[in-house]
Amino acid sequence: MDSVRSLASCKPVVIFSKSSCFMSHSIKSLVTSFGANATVYELDELPNGQQLERELVASGLRPTVPAVYIGGDFVGGENEIMSLHLKGQLVPLLKKAKAIWV
């Protein structure tokens, strides 16, 4: 988990994704629609993508993508992000992490 944690702690919003995953695309679109500039790691396009995916699996994520970190903390996958959005809690979380300002 060291590589994942290290990457996730460097930016306000980090999304581990796969370019062919429609749910990953939906979550990336949702987060960026609020003006957040998410750092996205496409696991299927990175040389160390398999290693990162193994770390995500070892942490208990199934499916492994999308995996969203906000403010350096793991928030969840598509179900958790959509739930936060529907409850009106996603934008405040993005503001708290300084990913958006308004």
Side-chain angles (χ1 to χ4, degrees), residues 34-71:
F34 298 115
N37 187 16
T39 299
V40 178
Y41 294 101
E42 299 288 357
L43 300 179
D44 57 338
E45 296 177 355
L46 295 172
N48 66 337
Q50 289 181 339
Q51 172 197 345
L52 294 172
E53 187 167 13
R54 282 192 296 273
E55 289 184 25
L56 291 168
V57 168
S59 72
L61 292 179
R62 290 193 188 11
T64 54
V65 294
V68 181
Y69 289 78
I70 299 175

Side-chain angles (χ1 to χ4, degrees), residues 4-101:
V4 169
R5 276 194 211 121
S6 176
L7 292 171
S9 66
C10 291
K11 300 288 181 174
V13 179
V14 175
I15 302 173
F16 292 94
S17 173
K18 285 188 178 176
S19 60
S20 60
C21 175
F22 74 94
M23 285 309 299
S24 292
H25 175 75
S26 297
I27 295 302
K28 291 182 287 189
S29 295
L30 175 66
V31 170
T32 58
S33 74
F34 298 115
N37 187 16
T39 299
V40 178
Y41 294 101
E42 299 288 357
L43 300 179
D44 57 338
E45 296 177 355
L46 295 172
N48 66 337
Q50 289 181 339
Q51 172 197 345
L52 294 172
E53 187 167 13
R54 282 192 296 273
E55 289 184 25
L56 291 168
V57 168
S59 72
L61 292 179
R62 290 193 188 11
T64 54
V65 294
V68 181
Y69 289 78
I70 299 175
D73 295 324
F74 177 68
V75 177
E78 69 270 1
N79 290 338
E80 293 80 10
I81 298 302
M82 289 305 294
S83 178
L84 287 169
H85 173 55
L86 293 173
K87 293 177 187 175
Q89 298 172 343
L90 182 57
V91 169
L93 192 57
L94 292 169
K95 286 180 182 177
K96 181 179 177 187
K98 296 184 172 55
I100 59 175
W101 291 271

